[in-house]
Amino acid sequence: MFAKAFRVRSNTAIKGSDRRKLRADVAATFPTLSAEQLSEVVPSKEELNVIKLYTHKGDAVTVYANSRNPVLFEMGKTLYPTVYTLWAHPDLLPAFTTWPPVLHKLVGGADLMLPGVVVPSSGLPQVDRGTLCAITLVGNRAPVAIGIATMSTMEMLAAGMKGKGFTVLHIYMDQLWSFGDKTCPPTIVSLEGEPVTEHVEEEEQDDKGEEGRVSENSLPIDPSLPTDIGNMSLSETAESAEVEESEETSANEAAETIEEGNLDVPQELEDSRSPQEQMDALLHQCFFHALKCKVKKSELPLLTSTFLSNYIFSCCPKGQQIDIKKSSYKKFSKFLQSMQEQKILQVKELSKGVESIVDVDWRHDSIRSFVVPEIAASELPAQDSKGADGEQLYHPPEIIPLFGISSKMAPLFQESGYKKGSTLSSSEVRSVVINYVKTNELVDETNKKYVRTETALGRESRIAILWPVPIA
């Protein structure tokens, strides 16, 4: 469903009543969640955004995002958890296991076929047709996808584990996952432990025999994938052995970078600062970059969630990612509070539970002294027109209401040079009426807040006798 880029229609902060309704719907859909777990999925006070989008096939989907990570999505009045939610609650859905090479097929948009499902010694989970299920990899209980079972467990076994097993809705590395902070799945030890490992060792010999076929039918291995899942690895063909040796060093460096905070910062750019200090520095850089080059005074008040997603994230240098939870602030609201204490900006709660930036001191020394990095400055045109994935950003059309002059209203506007059929904005209409009142001295003598509807103003426009028009 999210294999290709989608189009965002709106991104707004959730209202208090909608938050309570969502919490009730999640509790009804996933009754196994405890009260504490429910608060983690739908927090009471933390920022929660409602994102309405259209998939590449035109399906309307509503996504609920906590900070930046999508935690739930709704389609056809049915709620589904994302992989980010399932990593925190791996037992939320019945899980079926497959082999790591199958993941590449699923990422490409394929559904999970039953021959790729691993049958554990304890048996498959008992599900009915249409049940929402999680899909995991051998040796790791962290779900990598969710799908709908096309048949019950009994039907799967009766079919000899052949045919289509699950319709995949959402998967790790798809566009919905990319909308979040793009973290890799955690390693959650399998409950079965040794039996699975022994089974893997028995299968390794068969895998070597089918090595050529797997290499031809599989997508290239993404170096960002976890390499310690069940101690599994794909054997390399003799033809690709030399190429792999030359790339081994760079692959190891990339893996080390991911382990050290998922910042994707090249090794040569790292310094002696701790990962938290580096994240703080990156957050401050993008914050001042956004205020100095992106935000305009006419855009205030600006939702804090919009400021984070549309401005700060867009100023992040290529190859780096902002993860506020890895900074010393932990929450974006605390970071803004710190900036407010320094009198850089002012944040107010304009409506219940929704905070907005209402004022920015662009003359503040911190903003004036900030110098946009050369790399970031060279990327500004591309970032303004394209998203992080290279797709052209959607810019909604600007709608301006206009008013046409009818034949009955023409006498009122002809003194200002307008004719029948001319179009005016609301401000222009107001200006014409005020000028007409002043020119014809129609201000009421007893109450100057009102005008007399004589001449064309009363006969043709049908305006009420005591129609207030501020004359100033």
Side-chain angles (χ1 to χ4, degrees):
M1 176 180 294
F2 303 103
K4 296 183 180 179
F6 48 75
R7 179 169 66 88
V8 176
R9 187 179 62 168
S10 64
N11 186 343
T12 58
I14 194 170
K15 299 179 181 178
S17 57
D18 293 336
R19 187 191 294 262
R20 290 189 294 270
K21 183 181 181 301
L22 176 62
R23 180 187 291 269
D25 292 341
V26 172
T29 306
F30 308 107
T32 57
L33 285 175
S34 63
E36 182 179 353
Q37 292 173 332
L38 183 61
S39 298
E40 293 177 359
V41 178
V42 186
S44 301
K45 296 183 179 180
E46 292 184 16
E47 288 188 33
L48 194 65
N49 281 28
V50 181
I51 304 162
K52 295 185 178 181
L53 54 85
Y54 291 111
T55 65
H56 67 283
K57 292 184 178 180
D59 298 323
V61 180
T62 300
V63 177
Y64 298 95
N66 184 357
S67 295
R68 186 184 179 186
N69 285 341
V71 293
L72 299 163
F73 65 95
E74 184 177 9
M75 185 178 62
K77 296 184 179 180
T78 303
L79 283 171
Y80 304 93
T82 65
V83 290
Y84 291 106
T85 298
L86 291 178
W87 291 342
H89 310 283
D91 299 321
L92 186 61
L93 301 176
F96 289 77
T97 305
T98 188
W99 302 103
V102 178
L103 176 63
H104 299 283
K105 296 291 186 181
L106 302 182
V107 171
D111 291 321
L112 180 59
M113 309 302 286
L114 289 178
V117 176
V118 177
V119 181
S121 57
S122 58
L124 295 173
Q126 295 299 315
V127 299
D128 296 325
R129 180 182 300 181
T131 301
L132 183 64
C133 302
I135 300 171
T136 65
L137 300 181
V138 171
N140 190 356
R141 290 199 305 120
V144 294
I146 64 168
I148 298 176
T150 59
M151 59 182 75
S152 66
T153 304
M154 295 296 294
E155 291 172 334
M156 294 179 188
L157 297 174
M161 298 301 290
K162 294 181 180 180
K164 180 179 174 180
F166 301 88
T167 301
V168 177
L169 301 179
H170 161 52
I171 186 170
Y172 160 61
M173 290 198 299
D174 67 4
Q175 295 298 317
L176 183 58
W177 167 83
S178 298
F179 195 76
D181 58 17
K182 301 181 182 180
T183 53
C184 295
T187 301
I188 305 176
V189 180
S190 174
L191 294 177
E192 295 187 358
E194 291 301 326
V196 174
T197 304
E198 292 174 1
H199 183 65
V200 171
E201 292 175 353
E202 293 173 2
E203 293 290 336
E204 285 182 351
Q205 298 299 326
D206 295 336
D207 290 342
K208 291 180 180 179
E210 299 178 358
E211 174 185 336
R213 180 174 59 85
V214 171
S215 299
E216 293 174 0
N217 297 333
S218 300
L219 296 175
I221 299 177
D222 191 333
S224 66
L225 284 175
T227 57
D228 60 344
I229 299 180
N231 297 323
M232 291 290 292
S233 62
L234 294 178
S235 301
E236 302 297 332
T237 60
E239 298 176 356
S240 63
E242 295 180 0
V243 177
E244 186 63 20
E245 283 181 351
S246 64
E247 297 178 352
E248 184 177 359
T249 303
S250 60
N252 290 337
E253 291 176 356
E256 291 174 2
T257 304
I258 293 175
E259 292 174 359
E260 293 175 2
N262 197 30
L263 297 178
D264 294 332
V265 181
Q267 188 72 25
E268 60 269 19
L269 296 182
E270 292 185 359
D271 51 31
S272 59
R273 296 176 297 176
S274 66
Q276 186 179 80
E277 292 174 339
Q278 293 182 39
M279 184 57 66
D280 285 350
L282 178 61
L283 181 57
H284 281 85
Q285 173 187 318
C286 297
F287 170 76
F288 288 113
H289 185 178
L291 289 182
K292 192 164 188 174
C293 304
K294 299 277 187 178
V295 179
K296 300 177 182 178
K297 188 174 183 179
S298 59
E299 296 173 325
L300 301 179
L302 180 66
L303 288 173
T304 56
S305 56
T306 303
F307 177 57
L308 176 64
S309 58
N310 293 356
Y311 294 86
I312 291 185
F313 285 151
S314 65
C315 293
C316 188
K318 186 176 181 180
Q320 300 186 48
Q321 294 177 3
I322 296 177
D323 189 347
I324 298 178
K325 292 183 179 179
K326 294 180 180 178
S327 69
S328 61
Y329 301 98
K330 305 302 179 184
K331 294 182 180 180
F332 187 56
S333 57
K334 291 185 177 180
F335 172 75
L336 290 179
Q337 183 180 358
S338 174
M339 297 298 104
Q340 187 170 232
E341 291 173 354
Q342 299 179 40
K343 298 182 179 181
I344 298 175
L345 48 71
Q346 186 177 4
V347 178
K348 285 187 178 180
E349 190 174 337
L350 298 182
S351 57
K352 189 175 181 180
V354 181
E355 292 186 337
S356 299
I357 298 174
V358 296
D359 188 33
V360 177
D361 183 9
W362 275 282
R363 295 184 178 180
H364 196 280
D365 292 340
S366 299
I367 299 179
R368 296 178 63 182
S369 62
F370 176 76
V371 179
V372 179
E374 295 182 3
I375 297 178
S378 64
E379 293 176 354
L380 277 177
Q383 289 181 345
D384 287 340
S385 60
K386 293 186 177 182
D389 54 359
E391 293 289 336
Q392 194 74 19
L393 291 178
Y394 172 73
H395 297 284
E398 182 180 3
I399 300 175
I400 303 175
L402 298 175
F403 300 87
I405 301 176
S406 64
S407 57
K408 291 184 177 182
M409 297 295 294
L412 178 62
F413 290 86
Q414 62 184 3
E415 293 185 9
S416 299
Y418 295 102
K419 300 179 180 180
K420 175 187 174 182
S422 300
T423 56
L424 298 86
S425 65
S426 58
S427 60
E428 290 173 329
V429 172
R430 183 183 183 87
S431 176
V432 169
V433 173
I434 291 176
N435 290 334
Y436 183 90
V437 170
K438 288 183 176 180
T439 302
N440 293 275
E441 299 180 350
L442 298 178
V443 179
D444 189 77
E445 295 178 357
T446 58
N447 191 340
K448 297 188 181 296
K449 293 183 178 180
Y450 300 102
V451 298
R452 300 190 309 274
T453 55
E454 301 170 357
T455 65
L457 183 62
R459 294 194 307 270
E460 307 297 345
S461 64
R462 299 179 183 178
I463 299 178
I465 294 178
L466 297 179
W467 180 52
V469 177
I471 309 299

